[in-house]
Amino acid sequence: MDERMRIKENDHVRGNREAELVLIEYADFQCPYCARAHKALTSLQQQHGDRVALVYRHLPLTDLHPFAQPAAEAAEAAGAQGKFWEMHDALFENQGMLDEDALPAIAANLQLDAQRFRSEFEGGQHRARVESDVQEAHAAGASGTPTFFINGERYQGDSDHASLAKAIEGALGRG
């Protein structure tokens, strides 16, 4: 398997790092298809529990979504305080309201250290991490969002619940 498709030490992983199914998603917080996938994946992971690990990697499509890059950096700033997944969820749940004012407000709702968040975010402290994910996405052949890899294999289907459920259940030997 391509090393890019394995869970790395610094990956954001929801679920069991030793799960039998690893789904890597390259995504953009402003992408409506990623938001649809977020809802589906949340439900599917609850259904399959420790058998599935979700890995989130950044691929902000800055030419289409002006707040995708800042949202990715905000998620990393929240992650530095142990709340990546809380910020991830909040960004998708508030996708329609993403703008410059929304990110600090979301951070405040998550009870992050506001001064630290602002300092890291405004200082671009997490930009390199996001850019590293983008370069890796491009090297793996991902140019649009969401792009999924299931156990190292590129998934070509849709991001709706039924399509993702079929792919996950098939990979788990239930399809």
Side-chain angles (χ1 to χ4, degrees):
M1 181 188 311
D2 183 335
E3 282 301 311
R4 289 183 297 260
M5 295 305 114
R6 295 188 189 281
I7 295 177
K8 300 179 303 189
E9 180 72 28
N10 70 340
D11 269 331
H12 300 293
V13 180
R14 182 174 261 170
N16 177 7
R17 293 180 83 88
E18 305 299 322
E20 64 187 275
L21 185 144
V22 175
L23 185 145
I24 296 174
E25 176 185 20
Y26 287 97
D28 171 326
F29 287 113
Q30 268 195 296
C31 167
Y33 301 104
C34 295
R36 178 174 68 174
H38 165 66
K39 288 179 185 168
L41 292 172
T42 299
S43 168
L44 289 165
Q45 187 175 39
Q46 289 170 351
Q47 179 183 338
H48 295 291
D50 281 347
R51 296 183 73 198
V52 175
L54 302 177
V55 177
Y56 185 92
R57 295 181 184 163
H58 302 284
L59 182 54
L61 303 178
T62 55
D63 54 333
L64 297 173
H65 304 130
F67 296 106
Q69 178 76 26
E73 292 180 36
E76 289 300 324
Q81 294 187 42
K83 293 202 174 183
F84 173 83
W85 287 105
E86 292 87 344
M87 179 63 88
H88 166 279
D89 295 347
L91 289 168
F92 280 125
E93 290 159 12
N94 295 288
Q95 187 180 67
M97 305 180 328
L98 287 185
D99 63 21
E100 291 164 6
D101 297 328
L103 300 175
I106 292 170
N109 286 341
L110 296 178
Q111 299 178 330
L112 296 176
D113 176 329
Q115 185 174 0
R116 178 179 171 192
F117 177 84
R118 185 173 49 256
S119 172
E120 291 180 5
F121 178 71
E122 290 175 0
Q125 186 169 331
H126 302 286
R127 192 165 298 134
R129 163 63 191 269
V130 174
E131 289 305 315
S132 175
D133 279 2
V134 169
Q135 290 173 4
E136 190 171 279
H138 292 158
S143 58
T145 58
T147 296
F148 301 103
F149 291 87
I150 298 175
N151 286 345
E153 298 292 320
R154 175 94 179 249
Y155 167 73
Q156 300 290 349
D158 202 343
S159 63
D160 66 287
H161 189 280
S163 300
L164 287 167
K166 183 177 179 183
I168 288 171
E169 288 164 12
L172 289 172
R174 293 187 186 163

